[in-house]
Amino acid sequence: MAPRAHVSVYKALYKSFGGFAADVVAAIDQAAQDGVDVLSLSITPNRRPPGIATFFNPIDMALLSAVKAGIFIVQAAGNTGPSPKSMSSFSPWIFTVGAASHDRVYSNSIILGNNVTIHGVGLAPGTDEDTMLTLVSALHAVNNETTVTTDMYVGECQDSSTFNQDFIEGNLLICSYSIRFVLGLSTIKQAVETAKNLSAAGVVFYMDPFVIGYQLNPIPMSVPGIIIPSPDDSKVLLQYYNSSLERNGTTKQITKFGAVASILGGLKANYSNSAPKVVYYSARGPDPEDSFLDDADILKPNLVAPGNSIWAAWSSLGTDSVEFQGENFAMMSGTSMAAPHIAGLAALIKQKFPSFSPSAIASALSSTASLYDNNGGPIMAQRAYANPDLNQSPATPFDMGSGFVNATAALDPGLIFDSSYDDYMSFLCGINGSSPVVLNYTGQNCLSYNSTINGTDLNLPSITIAKLYQSRMVQRSVTNIAGNETYKVGWSAPYGVTVKVVPACFSIASGERQVLSVFFDAIMNSSTASHGRIGLFGDQGHVLNIPLSVIVKVTYNTTTNG
């Protein structure tokens, strides 16, 4: 994203084991001492932090110190979506990034002899398009010395010596994909070696029904191949295969493998998909303020960025993923792939505006984000692991934050919303019973902050109100970093709420500040989150978008005489 950036890597975590917060804190402190400008954390805690607020955890508090030193912090939202409050990145000084798809898809498919087409994954060549090849299950091609009883994992095709080559040669070998592949105990690479050793024409993996909701990376294969990632589609394949077998009436021995298929390769990209979409695994808001899952007055995620099927350089010596050993590139998915995109763009913004604070960089990215996909429709959010494209609806700010990153617009935002370290401290000190915790983490006494604020009043490029009792006035301050400009203000109110912004039009000189007052009134009782927007439209072409979210709405206080 930023080709001339210098990259430092701080290793604090290890495969399978993970690591300790203390090591991550040490890495953050070291990075700050080394003078980095942007910190990218493709990590989240493995559980919600206990205590009076999620913000008070060792990593978030170490990152607050980094922000005090002027470092912009990017963190992956977590891969725990699509359920609400699945967010694993909590604090307002952290820029939290969710994962979205892009329109470049490498999908291959298998065409069965009964004219059914099943889609799958795998960066693999196809078979000859004009030829249908015989399908043979690994379970039906074992040699005389092997049975499923002696080798219960024989169906995973990990050892060519257990098979009879006469059955497999020139045919498509069907192998099972189980949890052992996820754990690295079995590998696609080894199954492909088995297929090669037995002179198979290709390999087809079906998904074990116990592997639910697993995000499969497209894995390079040197022979024609496909992985069917859906247990339902896997059943379709197996039903066709089993129904096509011919057996001896007396011995029940298989006399003919009747199922045939051809594989369409997945080496060529398809660009016809609508994108971006918020991917099903991307963690969602609202931001949980504490372990009781009370809602915070802070919008999370901040933004979504490309995170699904991301091609990137890979160390061929890397042992973290056996599937990509020996490869120079890999394609992976997750919010961990989305966060570095934003880190690189933040470096470019910092290069253009060296004096920008971390919150100014965050504002430039958020307020300019796109709300529309490549077809001009609303950005959609996938809502389920199973058949995610059939379970989708327009994304809300709790799915995508301010929207999908717009790199060009972020370099010319026009106005910025700025917050300081002291603002974050006033916010932390405003949390009930927080004084001793703040003192413990920061060494600073809350008594030195004359006034405290809550999350809604932080000068963020979004407004989130967890509980709106009757009415509320919220203020935001914008600073003009472009030339003199006149802005008109437009808005759409969240359902069940009226909104008014004052002033509705303002002229602002370069370097000047303008305070906007936003008035919210609840007009119905509701505990369902609803969303709206404020748009700032400048006569020099700058457009800013401020998402509004109100969760609980109460129109009046009910009292009873006792």
Side-chain angles (χ1 to χ4, degrees):
M1 303 307 291
R4 294 187 184 87
H6 298 274
V7 178
S8 299
V9 179
Y10 300 83
K11 184 156 184 68
L13 304 175
Y14 295 83
K15 182 164 175 68
S16 304
F17 166 67
F20 297 109
D23 293 327
V24 178
V25 169
I28 294 166
D29 287 349
Q30 187 60 55
Q33 287 174 41
D34 292 345
V36 304
D37 295 294
V38 178
L39 255 180
S40 179
L41 287 89
S42 283
I43 56 170
T44 56
N46 57 8
R47 65 190 177 101
R48 196 167 286 109
I52 61 168
T54 51
F55 322 115
F56 294 115
N57 67 78
I59 294 173
D60 284 38
M61 297 310 291
L63 293 171
L64 178 60
S65 295
V67 167
K68 187 181 183 182
I71 301 170
F72 180 71
I73 312 293
V74 188
Q75 186 177 26
N79 300 332
T80 43
S83 55
K85 300 189 195 184
S86 49
M87 188 55 53
S88 301
S89 173
F90 314 103
S91 299
W93 52 88
I94 295 170
F95 198 81
T96 303
V97 186
S101 64
H102 49 73
D103 65 349
R104 185 185 68 220
V105 177
Y106 293 88
S107 60
N108 51 359
S109 50
I110 181 168
I111 301 170
L112 305 180
N114 59 358
N115 282 331
V116 171
T117 299
I118 300 174
H119 296 284
V121 294
L123 289 166
T127 55
D128 185 339
E129 281 183 36
D130 302 325
T131 311
M132 297 296 269
L133 297 166
T134 302
L135 289 162
V136 177
S137 168
L139 298 174
H140 296 148
V142 291
N143 57 29
N144 294 333
E145 289 80 50
T146 309
T147 63
V148 177
T149 315
T150 58
D151 182 356
M152 63 187 295
Y153 303 115
V154 67
E156 295 175 6
C157 306
Q158 297 298 291
D159 181 1
S160 52
S161 69
T162 56
F163 298 103
N164 182 336
Q165 183 167 348
D166 293 342
F167 288 136
I168 295 167
E169 189 168 344
N171 296 328
L172 295 175
L173 176 63
I174 300 177
C175 308
S176 63
Y177 185 104
S178 76
I179 193 71
R180 289 167 53 84
F181 286 80
V182 182
L183 299 173
L185 300 173
S186 296
T187 69
I188 297 286
K189 190 158 271 194
Q190 191 52 50
V192 166
E193 279 306 305
T194 297
K196 277 187 187 169
N197 292 341
L198 299 168
S199 303
V203 61
V204 179
F205 294 91
Y206 67 88
M207 190 62 69
D208 183 298
F210 296 106
V211 185
I212 297 168
Y214 179 63
Q215 176 66 24
L216 254 181
N217 298 313
I219 293 157
M221 294 189 231
S222 52
V223 300
I226 185 170
I227 308 168
I228 300 170
S230 149
D232 289 343
D233 286 344
S234 298
K235 278 184 198 161
V236 171
L237 169 77
L238 294 176
Q239 278 167 353
Y240 165 66
Y241 172 79
N242 287 323
S243 67
S244 304
L245 291 172
E246 293 179 16
R247 296 179 185 269
N248 180 299
T250 312
T251 65
K252 301 299 179 193
Q253 293 283 97
I254 295 170
T255 55
K256 185 183 177 188
F257 296 100
V260 293
S262 66
I263 297 172
L264 299 181
L267 295 176
K268 199 171 177 193
N270 178 338
Y271 293 93
S272 62
N273 293 48
S274 61
K277 284 179 187 174
V278 183
V279 195
Y280 64 86
Y281 54 77
S282 188
R284 310 296 164 94
D287 187 8
E289 183 173 54
D290 53 35
S291 51
F292 297 109
L293 289 182
D294 284 340
D295 298 315
D297 293 320
I298 292 156
L299 179 62
K300 292 288 172 182
N302 295 74
L303 205 65
V304 291
N308 205 58
S309 297
I310 302 300
W311 262 125
W314 183 265
S315 167
S316 56
L317 302 176
T319 56
D320 268 15
S321 181
V322 185
E323 308 305 353
F324 298 118
Q325 244 177 322
E327 302 285 341
N328 292 320
F329 288 86
M331 187 184 285
M332 303 187 90
S333 297
T335 55
S336 290
M337 278 74 243
H341 280 90
I342 296 299
L345 294 177
L348 295 177
I349 295 170
K350 182 81 173 171
Q351 180 183 37
K352 184 174 179 184
F353 301 104
S355 62
F356 265 23
S357 67
S359 64
I361 296 172
S363 171
L365 287 159
S366 293
S367 63
T368 58
S370 171
L371 301 170
Y372 303 100
D373 69 13
N374 55 359
N375 296 321
I379 292 172
M380 303 297 279
Q382 297 177 341
R383 304 280 176 207
Y385 279 103
N387 301 314
D389 278 339
L390 299 179
N391 293 285
Q392 60 179 26
S393 57
T396 74
F398 291 157
D399 302 313
M400 67 173 180
S402 291
F404 182 77
V405 64
N406 181 334
T408 308
L411 288 165
D412 183 20
L415 304 173
I416 54 159
F417 296 74
D418 217 342
S419 299
S420 66
Y421 173 78
D422 283 348
D423 293 333
Y424 300 132
M425 288 296 291
S426 295
F427 156 69
L428 291 174
C429 288
I431 296 169
N432 224 355
S434 65
S435 291
V437 193
V438 170
L439 183 64
N440 179 38
Y441 273 118
T442 67
Q444 291 184 267
N445 195 320
C446 278
L447 295 174
S448 60
Y449 290 89
N450 296 329
S451 62
T452 59
I453 57 175
N454 64 25
T456 301
D457 296 316
L458 278 166
N459 196 38
L460 303 172
S462 60
I463 299 174
T464 304
I465 302 175
K467 293 186 177 74
L468 174 63
Y469 291 109
Q470 296 178 294
S471 57
R472 177 86 184 263
M473 191 266 281
V474 178
Q475 291 192 315
R476 288 292 183 267
S477 170
V478 291
T479 304
N480 186 7
I481 55 138
N484 300 352
E485 195 159 1
T486 298
Y487 283 86
K488 287 182 177 167
V489 186
W491 58 87
S492 63
Y495 183 69
V497 179
T498 62
V499 171
K500 184 183 180 187
V501 185
V502 178
C505 182
F506 60 92
S507 294
I508 185 167
S510 183
E512 263 191 2
R513 287 173 71 243
Q514 170 71 46
V515 173
L516 299 171
S517 298
V518 188
F519 297 87
F520 293 85
D521 278 292
I523 53 173
M524 65 183 288
N525 292 328
S526 169
S527 57
T528 306
S530 51
H531 307 277
R533 303 206 170 270
I534 297 172
L536 304 178
F537 305 93
D539 61 2
Q540 301 302 308
H542 294 110
V543 176
L544 289 87
N545 147 54
I546 304 153
L548 310 175
S549 302
V550 183
I551 303 175
V552 175
K553 288 144 296 230
V554 180
T555 55
Y556 54 87
N557 292 329
T558 53
T559 55
T560 53
N561 294 324

Coordinates of all heavy atoms in Angstrom, one line a residue, residues 148-199:
V148 N -10.3 -49.4 6.4 CA -10.7 -48.2 7.2 C -10.5 -48.5 8.7 O -10.2 -47.7 9.5 CB -12.1 -47.8 6.9 CG1 -12.5 -46.6 7.7 CG2 -12.2 -47.4 5.4
T149 N -10.6 -49.8 9.0 CA -10.4 -50.2 10.4 C -8.9 -50.0 10.8 O -8.6 -49.5 11.9 CB -10.8 -51.7 10.7 OG1 -12.0 -51.9 10.0 CG2 -10.9 -52.0 12.1
T150 N -8.0 -50.4 9.9 CA -6.5 -50.3 10.3 C -6.0 -48.8 10.1 O -5.1 -48.4 10.7 CB -5.7 -51.2 9.4 OG1 -5.9 -50.9 8.0 CG2 -6.0 -52.7 9.6
D151 N -6.7 -48.1 9.2 CA -6.3 -46.7 9.0 C -7.5 -45.8 8.8 O -8.1 -45.7 7.7 CB -5.4 -46.6 7.7 CG -4.9 -45.1 7.5 OD1 -5.3 -44.2 8.3 OD2 -4.1 -44.9 6.6
M152 N -8.0 -45.3 10.0 CA -9.3 -44.6 9.9 C -9.2 -43.3 9.1 O -10.3 -42.7 8.8 CB -9.8 -44.3 11.3 CG -9.0 -43.4 12.2 SD -9.5 -43.3 13.9 CE -11.1 -42.5 13.7
Y153 N -8.0 -42.8 8.8 CA -7.9 -41.6 8.1 C -7.4 -41.8 6.6 O -7.0 -40.9 5.9 CB -6.9 -40.6 8.8 CG -7.2 -40.3 10.2 CD1 -6.4 -40.7 11.2 CD2 -8.4 -39.6 10.5 CE1 -6.8 -40.4 12.6 CE2 -8.8 -39.3 11.8 CZ -8.0 -39.8 12.8 OH -8.3 -39.5 14.1
V154 N -7.6 -43.0 6.2 CA -7.2 -43.4 4.8 C -7.8 -42.5 3.8 O -7.3 -42.2 2.7 CB -7.4 -44.9 4.6 CG1 -8.9 -45.2 4.5 CG2 -6.7 -45.3 3.3
G155 N -9.1 -42.1 4.0 CA -9.8 -41.3 3.1 C -9.2 -39.9 2.8 O -9.6 -39.2 1.9
E156 N -8.2 -39.5 3.7 CA -7.6 -38.2 3.5 C -6.4 -38.2 2.5 O -5.8 -37.2 2.3 CB -7.2 -37.7 4.9 CG -8.4 -37.4 5.8 CD -8.0 -37.0 7.2 OE1 -6.8 -36.8 7.5 OE2 -8.9 -36.9 8.0
C157 N -6.1 -39.4 2.0 CA -5.1 -39.6 0.9 C -3.7 -39.1 1.3 O -3.1 -38.4 0.5 CB -5.6 -38.8 -0.4 SG -7.3 -39.3 -0.9
Q158 N -3.3 -39.4 2.5 CA -2.0 -38.9 2.9 C -0.8 -39.9 2.6 O 0.3 -39.5 2.7 CB -2.0 -38.6 4.4 CG -3.0 -37.5 4.8 CD -2.7 -36.2 4.2 OE1 -1.7 -35.6 4.5 NE2 -3.5 -35.7 3.3
D159 N -1.1 -41.1 2.2 CA 0.0 -42.1 2.0 C -0.4 -43.0 0.8 O -1.3 -43.8 0.8 CB 0.1 -43.0 3.3 CG 1.2 -44.0 3.2 OD1 1.9 -44.0 2.1 OD2 1.3 -44.8 4.1
S160 N 0.4 -42.8 -0.3 CA 0.1 -43.5 -1.5 C 0.3 -45.0 -1.4 O -0.3 -45.8 -2.1 CB 1.0 -43.0 -2.6 OG 2.3 -43.0 -2.3
S161 N 1.1 -45.5 -0.4 CA 1.3 -46.9 -0.3 C 0.1 -47.7 0.2 O 0.0 -48.9 0.1 CB 2.5 -47.2 0.7 OG 2.1 -46.8 2.0
T162 N -0.9 -47.0 0.7 CA -2.1 -47.7 1.1 C -3.2 -47.9 0.0 O -4.2 -48.5 0.2 CB -2.8 -46.8 2.2 OG1 -3.1 -45.5 1.7 CG2 -2.0 -46.7 3.5
F163 N -2.8 -47.5 -1.2 CA -3.8 -47.5 -2.3 C -3.4 -48.5 -3.4 O -2.2 -48.7 -3.6 CB -4.1 -46.1 -2.9 CG -4.7 -45.2 -1.9 CD1 -3.9 -44.2 -1.3 CD2 -6.0 -45.3 -1.5 CE1 -4.4 -43.4 -0.3 CE2 -6.6 -44.4 -0.6 CZ -5.8 -43.5 0.0
N164 N -4.3 -48.9 -4.2 CA -4.1 -49.8 -5.4 C -4.1 -48.8 -6.6 O -5.2 -48.3 -7.0 CB -5.2 -50.8 -5.5 CG -5.0 -51.8 -6.6 OD1 -4.3 -51.4 -7.6 ND2 -5.6 -53.0 -6.6
Q165 N -3.0 -48.7 -7.2 CA -2.8 -47.7 -8.3 C -3.7 -48.1 -9.5 O -4.2 -47.2 -10.2 CB -1.4 -47.7 -8.8 CG -1.2 -46.7 -9.9 CD 0.3 -46.4 -10.1 OE1 1.2 -46.7 -9.3 NE2 0.6 -45.7 -11.2
D166 N -4.0 -49.4 -9.7 CA -4.9 -49.8 -10.8 C -6.2 -49.1 -10.8 O -6.8 -48.9 -11.8 CB -5.0 -51.3 -10.8 CG -3.7 -52.1 -11.0 OD1 -2.8 -51.4 -11.5 OD2 -3.6 -53.3 -10.7
F167 N -6.8 -48.9 -9.6 CA -8.1 -48.3 -9.5 C -8.0 -46.8 -9.8 O -9.0 -46.2 -10.3 CB -8.6 -48.4 -8.1 CG -9.1 -49.8 -7.7 CD1 -8.8 -50.3 -6.5 CD2 -9.8 -50.5 -8.6 CE1 -9.2 -51.6 -6.2 CE2 -10.2 -51.8 -8.3 CZ -9.9 -52.4 -7.1
I168 N -6.9 -46.1 -9.5 CA -6.8 -44.7 -9.5 C -6.2 -44.1 -10.8 O -6.5 -43.0 -11.2 CB -6.0 -44.2 -8.2 CG1 -6.8 -44.6 -7.0 CG2 -5.7 -42.7 -8.3 CD1 -6.0 -44.5 -5.7
E169 N -5.3 -44.8 -11.4 CA -4.5 -44.3 -12.5 C -5.5 -43.7 -13.6 O -6.4 -44.4 -14.1 CB -3.6 -45.4 -13.1 CG -2.7 -44.8 -14.2 CD -1.6 -45.9 -14.5 OE1 -1.4 -46.8 -13.8 OE2 -1.0 -45.7 -15.6
G170 N -5.3 -42.5 -14.0 CA -6.1 -41.8 -15.0 C -7.4 -41.4 -14.6 O -8.2 -40.8 -15.4
N171 N -7.8 -41.6 -13.3 CA -9.1 -41.2 -12.8 C -9.0 -40.0 -11.8 O -7.9 -39.6 -11.4 CB -9.7 -42.4 -12.1 CG -10.0 -43.5 -13.1 OD1 -10.3 -43.3 -14.2 ND2 -9.9 -44.8 -12.6
L172 N -10.1 -39.5 -11.4 CA -10.2 -38.4 -10.4 C -10.3 -39.0 -9.0 O -11.3 -39.8 -8.8 CB -11.3 -37.5 -10.7 CG -11.3 -36.6 -12.0 CD1 -12.6 -35.8 -12.2 CD2 -10.1 -35.7 -12.0
L173 N -9.4 -38.8 -8.2 CA -9.4 -39.4 -6.8 C -10.2 -38.5 -5.9 O -9.9 -37.3 -5.8 CB -7.9 -39.5 -6.3 CG -7.7 -40.0 -4.9 CD1 -8.2 -41.4 -4.8 CD2 -6.2 -39.9 -4.6
I174 N -11.1 -39.1 -5.2 CA -11.9 -38.3 -4.2 C -11.3 -38.5 -2.8 O -11.2 -39.7 -2.3 CB -13.4 -38.8 -4.2 CG1 -14.1 -38.6 -5.6 CG2 -14.2 -38.1 -3.1 CD1 -15.5 -39.1 -5.7
C175 N -11.0 -37.4 -2.1 CA -10.4 -37.5 -0.8 C -11.3 -36.7 0.2 O -12.0 -35.7 -0.2 CB -9.0 -36.9 -0.8 SG -7.9 -37.6 -2.0
S176 N -11.2 -37.0 1.5 CA -12.0 -36.2 2.4 C -11.2 -35.1 3.1 O -9.9 -35.3 3.2 CB -12.6 -37.2 3.5 OG -11.5 -37.7 4.2
Y177 N -11.8 -34.0 3.4 CA -11.1 -32.9 4.1 C -11.7 -32.8 5.5 O -12.9 -32.4 5.6 CB -11.4 -31.6 3.2 CG -10.6 -30.4 3.7 CD1 -9.5 -29.9 3.1 CD2 -11.0 -29.7 4.9 CE1 -8.8 -28.8 3.5 CE2 -10.3 -28.6 5.3 CZ -9.2 -28.1 4.6 OH -8.5 -27.0 5.1
S178 N -10.9 -33.0 6.5 CA -11.5 -33.1 7.8 C -10.8 -32.0 8.7 O -9.9 -31.3 8.3 CB -11.2 -34.5 8.5 OG -9.9 -34.6 8.8
I179 N -11.1 -32.0 10.0 CA -10.6 -31.1 11.0 C -9.0 -31.3 11.0 O -8.3 -30.4 11.4 CB -11.2 -31.3 12.4 CG1 -10.9 -30.1 13.3 CG2 -10.8 -32.6 13.0 CD1 -11.5 -28.8 13.0
R180 N -8.6 -32.5 10.6 CA -7.1 -32.7 10.7 C -6.3 -31.8 9.7 O -5.2 -31.5 10.0 CB -6.8 -34.2 10.4 CG -7.3 -35.2 11.5 CD -7.3 -36.6 11.0 NE -6.0 -37.0 10.4 CZ -5.0 -37.4 11.0 NH1 -5.0 -37.5 12.3 NH2 -3.9 -37.8 10.4
F181 N -7.0 -31.4 8.6 CA -6.4 -30.4 7.7 C -6.3 -29.1 8.4 O -5.3 -28.3 8.2 CB -7.2 -30.3 6.4 CG -7.0 -31.5 5.5 CD1 -7.7 -32.7 5.7 CD2 -6.1 -31.4 4.4 CE1 -7.6 -33.8 4.9 CE2 -6.0 -32.5 3.6 CZ -6.7 -33.7 3.8
V182 N -7.3 -28.7 9.1 CA -7.3 -27.4 9.8 C -6.2 -27.4 10.9 O -5.5 -26.4 11.1 CB -8.7 -27.1 10.5 CG1 -8.7 -25.8 11.2 CG2 -9.8 -27.2 9.5
L183 N -5.9 -28.5 11.5 CA -4.9 -28.6 12.6 C -3.5 -28.9 12.0 O -2.5 -28.9 12.7 CB -5.3 -29.7 13.5 CG -6.6 -29.6 14.3 CD1 -6.9 -30.8 15.1 CD2 -6.6 -28.4 15.2
G184 N -3.4 -29.1 10.7 CA -2.1 -29.4 10.1 C -1.6 -30.8 10.2 O -0.5 -31.1 9.8
L185 N -2.5 -31.7 10.7 CA -2.1 -33.1 10.8 C -2.1 -33.8 9.4 O -1.4 -34.8 9.2 CB -3.0 -33.8 11.8 CG -3.0 -33.3 13.2 CD1 -4.1 -33.9 14.0 CD2 -1.7 -33.5 13.8
S186 N -3.0 -33.3 8.6 CA -3.1 -33.8 7.2 C -2.9 -32.5 6.3 O -3.3 -31.4 6.7 CB -4.4 -34.5 6.8 OG -4.5 -35.7 7.6
T187 N -2.5 -32.7 5.1 CA -2.3 -31.5 4.2 C -2.8 -31.8 2.8 O -2.7 -32.9 2.3 CB -0.8 -31.1 4.1 OG1 -0.1 -32.1 3.4 CG2 -0.2 -30.9 5.5
I188 N -3.2 -30.7 2.1 CA -3.5 -30.8 0.7 C -2.3 -31.2 -0.1 O -2.4 -32.0 -1.0 CB -4.0 -29.4 0.2 CG1 -5.3 -29.0 1.0 CG2 -4.2 -29.4 -1.3 CD1 -6.6 -29.7 0.6
K189 N -1.2 -30.6 0.3 CA 0.1 -30.9 -0.5 C 0.4 -32.4 -0.5 O 0.7 -33.0 -1.5 CB 1.2 -30.1 0.2 CG 2.5 -30.1 -0.6 CD 3.4 -28.9 -0.2 CE 3.0 -27.7 -1.0 NZ 4.0 -26.6 -1.0
Q190 N 0.2 -33.1 0.7 CA 0.5 -34.5 0.7 C -0.5 -35.3 -0.1 O -0.2 -36.3 -0.7 CB 0.5 -34.9 2.2 CG 1.1 -36.3 2.4 CD 2.4 -36.6 1.8 OE1 3.3 -35.7 2.0 NE2 2.6 -37.6 1.0
A191 N -1.8 -34.9 -0.1 CA -2.8 -35.6 -0.8 C -2.5 -35.4 -2.3 O -2.7 -36.4 -3.1 CB -4.2 -35.0 -0.5
V192 N -2.0 -34.3 -2.7 CA -1.7 -34.0 -4.2 C -0.5 -34.9 -4.5 O -0.5 -35.5 -5.6 CB -1.4 -32.5 -4.4 CG1 -0.7 -32.3 -5.8 CG2 -2.6 -31.7 -4.3
E193 N 0.5 -35.1 -3.6 CA 1.6 -36.0 -3.9 C 1.1 -37.4 -4.0 O 1.6 -38.1 -4.9 CB 2.6 -35.9 -2.7 CG 3.6 -34.7 -2.7 CD 4.3 -34.7 -4.0 OE1 5.0 -35.6 -4.4 OE2 4.2 -33.6 -4.7
T194 N 0.2 -37.8 -3.2 CA -0.4 -39.2 -3.3 C -1.1 -39.3 -4.7 O -0.8 -40.4 -5.4 CB -1.5 -39.4 -2.2 OG1 -0.9 -39.3 -0.9 CG2 -2.2 -40.7 -2.4
A195 N -1.8 -38.3 -5.1 CA -2.5 -38.4 -6.4 C -1.5 -38.5 -7.6 O -1.6 -39.3 -8.5 CB -3.4 -37.2 -6.6
K196 N -0.4 -37.7 -7.4 CA 0.7 -37.8 -8.5 C 1.3 -39.2 -8.5 O 1.6 -39.8 -9.5 CB 1.8 -36.8 -8.1 CG 1.4 -35.4 -8.6 CD 2.7 -34.5 -8.4 CE 2.5 -33.1 -8.7 NZ 3.6 -32.3 -8.2
N197 N 1.7 -39.7 -7.3 CA 2.4 -41.0 -7.2 C 1.5 -42.1 -7.8 O 2.1 -43.1 -8.3 CB 2.7 -41.3 -5.7 CG 3.7 -40.4 -5.2 OD1 4.5 -39.8 -5.9 ND2 3.8 -40.3 -3.8
L198 N 0.2 -42.0 -7.7 CA -0.7 -43.0 -8.2 C -1.2 -42.7 -9.6 O -2.1 -43.4 -10.2 CB -1.9 -43.1 -7.3 CG -1.6 -43.5 -5.8 CD1 -2.8 -43.4 -4.9 CD2 -1.1 -45.0 -5.8
S199 N -0.6 -41.7 -10.3 CA -1.0 -41.3 -11.6 C -2.4 -40.9 -11.8 O -3.0 -41.2 -12.9 CB -0.6 -42.4 -12.6 OG 0.8 -42.7 -12.5

